[in-house]
Amino acid sequence: MTTPDDPQAKVYSHINGRESDILARLAVAELCKGWPIYRDASEWKNFRSLFSDDACVWTTWSKRQPIDNFIQKSKEGKSNGDFIMHRECGTLVELNLSALRAVGKMKATITQRFKIGENSSVGLEPVIFDVDCDCRFHFFCFLDSDTNAWKVKYVKLIYEKDKLVPVDGKACPGFPKDALDRYPEGYKYLGAAQSTLGHDIDPSLPTIQGPESGSLDIPRLELYEKMEQWLDGADDIDLSTSHGRRDINGKDTHKGQK
C-alpha cells in the first residue's frame, strides 16, 4: 500500500476551472487513452501521432527507449509472441496552461499472457497464465505552439501490485524466490515472467513502497519532483532513477540502474 504522505507538493488545475482549462485537460486525456487503444491493436501510425519527435518511454521490458525504437521493439516482441494488453481504469490531468504543460495520470492494468513448460516430445502440457499488474502511467505533455496540438514527451509508470492469474482456473507456475527477488514489490511477477521471454528487465522503476513495507519509495518521490518541474516549465528533465532503490536505512539495493 502507499504511505499516508502526499507525494505532490503543489496543486495544479485538475478539476473544474475555466473552459480553456477543461478543454485542455480533455485533449491531454485523449493522448493518454491512445496508449491502450492504439498500442494493443498495433495501430502504429495512430500510436506514433501521440508523441513528439524526441519522445522517450520507460517500461519494465524495454527500459528507456526513444519512441521510434520502442515501437520497433514492440513490433519485434509481438512477432515473437509477446501478448501484452492494457485496461484503462481512469485518467485525470494536472495542467499548467500558462506554461503550456500537463501531466496525464492514467490508472491501468497491464495484463500479459504467458505459456511455459510445453514439451510435446514427452507429452508435457504447457502452463498458460496471465500476469496482471496494476499501475499508473504518467504522460508528460506539452502544447506545441506551432501546431496548437498537445504531444507526449515522456511516459513513465509507477507500478503498484501484480499477481499471477491462471487461465484455466487451476494452474499457475511457481517462480523461485531468487527470480522474484530481482524485482521490487509492484512488478516482481511481471518482471520474472517477462525475463523468461529473454527481456532484460529494469529493476529500478518506481513503485508505491520501498523494500520495507510502508517505507517511502525513492524513485516514486523523484518522479513526482520531475512532474512538478515539468509542469512549472523546465525545458528538459532527466527521468532516469538517480539513486536506484533504497532500503529503509537509505542503502542502495540496485546500484547503477538508470
Side-chain angles (χ1 to χ4, degrees):
M1 67 179 69
T2 56
T3 69
D5 301 310
D6 191 336
Q8 186 163 303
K10 299 180 181 179
V11 176
Y12 299 89
S13 170
H14 62 288
I15 56 172
N16 299 317
R18 299 171 299 178
E19 182 179 353
S20 57
D21 284 11
I22 295 170
L23 291 174
R25 294 198 308 265
L26 288 173
V28 172
E30 274 193 324
L31 292 180
C32 302
K33 295 171 189 289
W35 185 293
I37 296 297
Y38 296 145
R39 188 185 182 279
D40 290 3
S42 297
E43 295 182 21
W44 299 118
K45 292 186 290 297
N46 284 339
F47 184 70
R48 182 62 181 87
S49 71
L50 306 173
F51 300 91
S52 65
D53 291 342
D54 56 350
C56 287
V57 304
W58 285 253
T59 71
T60 54
W61 62 270
S62 71
K63 297 187 173 179
R64 179 189 183 277
Q65 294 292 334
I67 184 58
D68 291 311
N69 287 14
F70 177 77
I71 290 173
Q72 182 58 36
K73 286 181 173 291
S74 296
K75 291 179 179 179
E76 293 169 359
K78 289 195 175 195
S79 295
N80 294 329
D82 288 2
F83 187 9
I84 305 173
M85 308 296 283
H86 303 80
R87 292 191 294 268
E88 190 240 347
C89 304
T91 300
L92 287 175
V93 174
E94 307 280 329
L95 175 72
N96 183 0
L97 201 53
S98 64
L100 307 181
R101 296 293 178 84
V103 173
K105 299 177 178 179
M106 185 177 74
K107 288 276 290 182
T109 298
I110 300 166
T111 178
Q112 184 166 357
R113 180 150 297 184
F114 298 89
K115 180 170 69 173
I116 63 174
E118 183 175 20
N119 190 331
S120 58
S121 64
V122 296
L124 184 63
E125 293 291 329
V127 176
I128 303 174
F129 64 98
D130 288 346
V131 177
D132 281 1
C133 181
D134 295 328
C135 59
R136 277 175 283 147
F137 281 74
H138 296 86
F139 296 82
F140 290 68
C141 304
F142 68 97
L143 183 63
D144 187 331
S145 56
D146 293 332
T147 63
N148 199 38
W150 287 94
K151 293 292 182 179
V152 179
K153 178 70 176 289
Y154 305 114
V155 180
K156 198 165 189 179
L157 286 66
I158 294 174
Y159 296 85
E160 298 178 322
K161 64 180 178 66
D162 63 342
K163 63 183 178 182
L164 301 179
V165 182
V167 172
D168 63 4
K170 57 185 179 182
C172 264
F175 286 99
K177 185 176 184 299
D178 64 334
L180 294 173
D181 286 347
R182 295 175 192 147
Y183 313 109
E185 289 288 346
Y187 61 97
K188 61 172 44 187
Y189 290 103
L190 183 63
Q194 288 178 333
S195 69
T196 67
L197 302 177
H199 295 301
D200 182 17
I201 307 303
D202 190 338
S204 61
L205 296 171
T207 64
I208 60 173
Q209 67 180 31
E212 296 290 333
S213 180
S215 65
L216 295 177
D217 181 77
I218 300 301
R220 177 174 71 101
L221 299 182
E222 288 181 343
L223 183 58
Y224 269 95
E225 291 173 0
K226 300 300 183 183
M227 283 190 275
E228 292 183 10
Q229 292 173 19
W230 177 257
L231 285 164
D232 289 342
D235 288 335
D236 196 18
I237 56 173
D238 181 8
L239 286 183
S240 60
T241 302
S242 61
H243 297 103
R245 178 161 275 101
R246 297 180 178 182
D247 64 19
I248 197 169
N249 297 312
K251 182 179 178 181
D252 285 346
T253 59
H254 292 294
K255 293 183 179 179
Q257 295 293 336
K258 297 291 185 183

mmCIF file of all heavy atoms in Angstrom, residues 202-224:
data_model
loop_
_atom_site.group_PDB
_atom_site.id
_atom_site.type_symbol
_atom_site.label_atom_id
_atom_site.label_comp_id
_atom_site.label_asym_id
_atom_site.label_seq_id
_atom_site.Cartn_x
_atom_site.Cartn_y
_atom_site.Cartn_z
ATOM 1 N N ASP A 202 14.164 -3.890 -16.279
ATOM 2 C CA ASP A 202 14.655 -2.775 -15.463
ATOM 3 C C ASP A 202 14.191 -2.977 -14.011
ATOM 4 O O ASP A 202 12.985 -2.991 -13.748
ATOM 5 C CB ASP A 202 14.107 -1.464 -16.015
ATOM 6 C CG ASP A 202 14.748 -0.242 -15.376
ATOM 7 O OD1 ASP A 202 15.282 -0.354 -14.263
ATOM 8 O OD2 ASP A 202 14.708 0.839 -16.000
ATOM 9 N N PRO A 203 15.120 -3.116 -13.042
ATOM 10 C CA PRO A 203 14.718 -3.349 -11.649
ATOM 11 C C PRO A 203 14.552 -2.082 -10.821
ATOM 12 O O PRO A 203 14.329 -2.161 -9.613
ATOM 13 C CB PRO A 203 15.874 -4.186 -11.099
ATOM 14 C CG PRO A 203 17.066 -3.627 -11.812
ATOM 15 C CD PRO A 203 16.590 -3.220 -13.200
ATOM 16 N N SER A 204 14.666 -0.894 -11.428
ATOM 17 C CA SER A 204 14.710 0.340 -10.642
ATOM 18 C C SER A 204 13.559 1.291 -10.945
ATOM 19 O O SER A 204 13.653 2.479 -10.672
ATOM 20 C CB SER A 204 16.040 1.064 -10.884
ATOM 21 O OG SER A 204 16.182 1.419 -12.241
ATOM 22 N N LEU A 205 12.465 0.783 -11.494
ATOM 23 C CA LEU A 205 11.338 1.645 -11.809
ATOM 24 C C LEU A 205 10.527 1.976 -10.555
ATOM 25 O O LEU A 205 10.539 1.215 -9.579
ATOM 26 C CB LEU A 205 10.459 0.971 -12.864
ATOM 27 C CG LEU A 205 11.150 0.758 -14.215
ATOM 28 C CD1 LEU A 205 10.289 -0.116 -15.125
ATOM 29 C CD2 LEU A 205 11.465 2.086 -14.883
ATOM 30 N N PRO A 206 9.785 3.076 -10.557
ATOM 31 C CA PRO A 206 9.044 3.495 -9.366
ATOM 32 C C PRO A 206 7.940 2.515 -8.969
ATOM 33 O O PRO A 206 7.239 1.968 -9.833
ATOM 34 C CB PRO A 206 8.448 4.854 -9.767
ATOM 35 C CG PRO A 206 9.295 5.335 -10.882
ATOM 36 C CD PRO A 206 9.730 4.109 -11.626
ATOM 37 N N THR A 207 7.782 2.306 -7.675
ATOM 38 C CA THR A 207 6.691 1.524 -7.109
ATOM 39 C C THR A 207 6.050 2.347 -5.997
ATOM 40 O O THR A 207 6.467 3.476 -5.734
ATOM 41 C CB THR A 207 7.198 0.179 -6.560
ATOM 42 O OG1 THR A 207 8.105 0.414 -5.471
ATOM 43 C CG2 THR A 207 7.912 -0.630 -7.642
ATOM 44 N N ILE A 208 5.053 1.794 -5.338
ATOM 45 C CA ILE A 208 4.353 2.601 -4.330
ATOM 46 C C ILE A 208 4.936 2.474 -2.938
ATOM 47 O O ILE A 208 4.534 3.197 -2.034
ATOM 48 C CB ILE A 208 2.841 2.271 -4.288
ATOM 49 C CG1 ILE A 208 2.591 0.807 -3.958
ATOM 50 C CG2 ILE A 208 2.177 2.662 -5.585
ATOM 51 C CD1 ILE A 208 1.115 0.487 -3.738
ATOM 52 N N GLN A 209 5.874 1.550 -2.731
ATOM 53 C CA GLN A 209 6.512 1.475 -1.426
ATOM 54 C C GLN A 209 7.936 0.977 -1.587
ATOM 55 O O GLN A 209 8.294 0.402 -2.607
ATOM 56 C CB GLN A 209 5.754 0.543 -0.472
ATOM 57 C CG GLN A 209 5.782 -0.926 -0.868
ATOM 58 C CD GLN A 209 5.012 -1.792 0.113
ATOM 59 O OE1 GLN A 209 4.051 -1.365 0.718
ATOM 60 N NE2 GLN A 209 5.455 -3.021 0.282
ATOM 61 N N GLY A 210 8.752 1.241 -0.561
ATOM 62 C CA GLY A 210 10.127 0.783 -0.584
ATOM 63 C C GLY A 210 10.231 -0.682 -0.212
ATOM 64 O O GLY A 210 9.233 -1.365 0.008
ATOM 65 N N PRO A 211 11.481 -1.185 -0.119
ATOM 66 C CA PRO A 211 11.684 -2.597 0.218
ATOM 67 C C PRO A 211 11.059 -2.998 1.551
ATOM 68 O O PRO A 211 10.609 -4.121 1.708
ATOM 69 C CB PRO A 211 13.210 -2.729 0.258
ATOM 70 C CG PRO A 211 13.698 -1.639 -0.634
ATOM 71 C CD PRO A 211 12.741 -0.503 -0.436
ATOM 72 N N GLU A 212 11.039 -2.081 2.509
ATOM 73 C CA GLU A 212 10.362 -2.341 3.774
ATOM 74 C C GLU A 212 8.924 -1.877 3.660
ATOM 75 O O GLU A 212 8.671 -0.744 3.260
ATOM 76 C CB GLU A 212 11.057 -1.614 4.931
ATOM 77 C CG GLU A 212 12.481 -2.084 5.192
ATOM 78 C CD GLU A 212 12.518 -3.491 5.763
ATOM 79 O OE1 GLU A 212 11.538 -3.880 6.415
ATOM 80 O OE2 GLU A 212 13.521 -4.186 5.549
ATOM 81 N N SER A 213 7.974 -2.753 4.001
ATOM 82 C CA SER A 213 6.558 -2.429 3.861
ATOM 83 C C SER A 213 6.237 -1.114 4.566
ATOM 84 O O SER A 213 6.556 -0.927 5.742
ATOM 85 C CB SER A 213 5.696 -3.550 4.449
ATOM 86 O OG SER A 213 4.330 -3.239 4.324
ATOM 87 N N GLY A 214 5.635 -0.194 3.837
ATOM 88 C CA GLY A 214 5.253 1.091 4.396
ATOM 89 C C GLY A 214 6.308 2.164 4.295
ATOM 90 O O GLY A 214 6.050 3.314 4.626
ATOM 91 N N SER A 215 7.524 1.822 3.821
ATOM 92 C CA SER A 215 8.573 2.824 3.694
ATOM 93 C C SER A 215 8.442 3.549 2.361
ATOM 94 O O SER A 215 7.809 3.068 1.430
ATOM 95 C CB SER A 215 9.958 2.170 3.812
ATOM 96 O OG SER A 215 10.197 1.287 2.739
ATOM 97 N N LEU A 216 9.053 4.712 2.266
ATOM 98 C CA LEU A 216 8.952 5.530 1.060
ATOM 99 C C LEU A 216 9.771 4.910 -0.064
ATOM 100 O O LEU A 216 10.863 4.391 0.150
ATOM 101 C CB LEU A 216 9.461 6.947 1.346
ATOM 102 C CG LEU A 216 8.646 7.772 2.344
ATOM 103 C CD1 LEU A 216 9.329 9.114 2.572
ATOM 104 C CD2 LEU A 216 7.232 7.993 1.838
ATOM 105 N N ASP A 217 9.241 4.978 -1.260
ATOM 106 C CA ASP A 217 9.971 4.518 -2.438
ATOM 107 C C ASP A 217 10.613 5.733 -3.091
ATOM 108 O O ASP A 217 9.925 6.622 -3.578
ATOM 109 C CB ASP A 217 9.034 3.824 -3.411
ATOM 110 C CG ASP A 217 9.775 3.311 -4.633
ATOM 111 O OD1 ASP A 217 10.434 2.267 -4.500
ATOM 112 O OD2 ASP A 217 9.710 3.957 -5.684
ATOM 113 N N ILE A 218 11.950 5.779 -3.091
ATOM 114 C CA ILE A 218 12.677 6.947 -3.575
ATOM 115 C C ILE A 218 12.375 7.254 -5.043
ATOM 116 O O ILE A 218 12.122 8.411 -5.396
ATOM 117 C CB ILE A 218 14.186 6.776 -3.346
ATOM 118 C CG1 ILE A 218 14.485 6.609 -1.843
ATOM 119 C CG2 ILE A 218 14.952 7.966 -3.901
ATOM 120 C CD1 ILE A 218 14.044 7.764 -0.983
ATOM 121 N N PRO A 219 12.391 6.261 -5.955
ATOM 122 C CA PRO A 219 12.085 6.593 -7.354
ATOM 123 C C PRO A 219 10.698 7.200 -7.545
ATOM 124 O O PRO A 219 10.501 8.042 -8.417
ATOM 125 C CB PRO A 219 12.218 5.244 -8.065
ATOM 126 C CG PRO A 219 13.202 4.476 -7.231
ATOM 127 C CD PRO A 219 12.888 4.876 -5.822
ATOM 128 N N ARG A 220 9.715 6.781 -6.738
ATOM 129 C CA ARG A 220 8.372 7.367 -6.858
ATOM 130 C C ARG A 220 8.405 8.845 -6.473
ATOM 131 O O ARG A 220 7.820 9.696 -7.170
ATOM 132 C CB ARG A 220 7.386 6.625 -5.962
ATOM 133 C CG ARG A 220 5.974 7.214 -5.980
ATOM 134 C CD ARG A 220 5.001 6.370 -5.184
ATOM 135 N NE ARG A 220 5.220 6.451 -3.763
ATOM 136 C CZ ARG A 220 4.489 7.204 -2.923
ATOM 137 N NH1 ARG A 220 3.497 7.939 -3.386
ATOM 138 N NH2 ARG A 220 4.739 7.213 -1.634
ATOM 139 N N LEU A 221 9.084 9.181 -5.382
ATOM 140 C CA LEU A 221 9.163 10.574 -4.959
ATOM 141 C C LEU A 221 9.924 11.411 -5.979
ATOM 142 O O LEU A 221 9.562 12.560 -6.252
ATOM 143 C CB LEU A 221 9.820 10.664 -3.586
ATOM 144 C CG LEU A 221 9.089 9.948 -2.445
ATOM 145 C CD1 LEU A 221 9.833 10.152 -1.125
ATOM 146 C CD2 LEU A 221 7.650 10.451 -2.322
ATOM 147 N N GLU A 222 10.990 10.833 -6.555
ATOM 148 C CA GLU A 222 11.731 11.545 -7.586
ATOM 149 C C GLU A 222 10.847 11.833 -8.803
ATOM 150 O O GLU A 222 10.936 12.902 -9.409
ATOM 151 C CB GLU A 222 12.952 10.725 -8.011
ATOM 152 C CG GLU A 222 14.056 10.680 -6.974
ATOM 153 C CD GLU A 222 15.252 9.873 -7.438
ATOM 154 O OE1 GLU A 222 15.116 9.096 -8.411
ATOM 155 O OE2 GLU A 222 16.322 10.010 -6.836
ATOM 156 N N LEU A 223 9.997 10.869 -9.156
ATOM 157 C CA LEU A 223 9.122 11.064 -10.307
ATOM 158 C C LEU A 223 8.153 12.211 -10.054
ATOM 159 O O LEU A 223 7.879 13.028 -10.951
ATOM 160 C CB LEU A 223 8.367 9.778 -10.631
ATOM 161 C CG LEU A 223 7.463 9.824 -11.873
ATOM 162 C CD1 LEU A 223 8.261 10.183 -13.121
ATOM 163 C CD2 LEU A 223 6.751 8.483 -12.064
ATOM 164 N N TYR A 224 7.608 12.311 -8.836
ATOM 165 C CA TYR A 224 6.715 13.426 -8.515
ATOM 166 C C TYR A 224 7.463 14.753 -8.584
ATOM 167 O O TYR A 224 6.910 15.769 -9.040
ATOM 168 C CB TYR A 224 6.089 13.223 -7.139
ATOM 169 C CG TYR A 224 4.779 12.482 -7.194
ATOM 170 C CD1 TYR A 224 4.723 11.106 -7.013
ATOM 171 C CD2 TYR A 224 3.582 13.146 -7.433
ATOM 172 C CE1 TYR A 224 3.526 10.413 -7.075
ATOM 173 C CE2 TYR A 224 2.376 12.474 -7.501
ATOM 174 C CZ TYR A 224 2.357 11.100 -7.313
ATOM 175 O OH TYR A 224 1.162 10.420 -7.387
#
